[in-house]
Amino acid sequence: MDERVYDTKKRPVWCPGCGNFAVLTALRRALAELDLKPEEVVIVTGIGCHGRMSDYVRANAFHTIHGRTLPLATGIKLANPNLTVIAHAGDGDAYAIGLGHLPHAARRNIDITLVVHDNMIFGLTTGQVTPTTPQGVKTKSTPFGNPERPLNPLLLALASGATFVARGFSGEADHLKELIKQGILHRGFAFIEVLQPCVTFFNTYQLFREKVYKIDGSHDPTDFEAALRLAQQEDRLPIGVFYRVERPTLEDYFAYAMSPPPALRKPQAPDLSKTIERFR
Ligand code: SF4
């Protein structure tokens, strides 16, 4: 399918050079190469600069409140498991206000894909610290330098039981597209962290260019301990699939209630006769 099918023709309002452009391109290409029809796809976005993704991808879209992409995506998937549900969140969205949802989506193994646009800063609100801002970095809210050690999202996802854990880089859009395709095809919760510079408030392009490298073929993605070791690297930043295993999904446990899926049932007026009888 031609990737232009997914283009809403709206002109992105992101700053020139923003990493969001590469994620948008990678997503559209991944959808096109998987030959998914726009009506079969749902994009859920939260609050932050990434949130505009739902305006720029011609598919079903839900731009929800801050930090709540995962509950929305979970509900949509359970209502109609035939849909391909892709949640997008920023690092503030996914790892600050919405952090409580990530471990539970991972351990439930709901069959959705979460793409986190991690630019290590609150961009939309003009540059405040987030849970992944490196220690010592001066932001508007940490003028003397960030005193906190950053969260390691990959370790968190692994420890929470995610069955697909990957990291991409917006400076490697083709590689990122392949990761998104693999995440969509994975049956279960797919967590994709994307290193994505915010050129306006925390430009990390040079830093990432120096530290990012692709995981080579010698890594066994079914080896949990090897994935943990990769995720703990700080001097260099591996990108690729860290971990991938098969496990029953949340929808599998609800199989008894999925035929037909709730969203595809014909609405029926409830039988209230017994209830009315009680009050006669
Ligand atoms: Fe991108 Fe940062 Fe501009 Fe937001 S503020 S659009 S994240 S460069």
Side-chain angles (χ1 to χ4, degrees), residues 10-28 53 56 117 170 173 176 196-197 199 205:
K10 284 188 191 155
R11 193 161 167 238
V13 295
W14 295 317
C15 310
C18 173
N20 280 317
F21 286 99
V23 185
L24 176 63
T25 301
L27 175 70
R28 282 184 188 154
M53 291 285 288
Y56 307 145
H117 301 224
S170 63
L176 177 59
Q196 181 213 286
V199 291
Y205 258 120

Side-chain angles (χ1 to χ4, degrees), residues 13-21 48-50 119 121-127 196-202:
V13 295
W14 295 317
C15 310
C18 173
N20 280 317
F21 286 99
C49 294
H50 81 277
N119 53 24
I121 198 85
F122 275 109
L124 190 68
T125 49
T126 71
Q196 181 213 286
C198 167
V199 291
T200 303
F201 296 107
F202 187 31

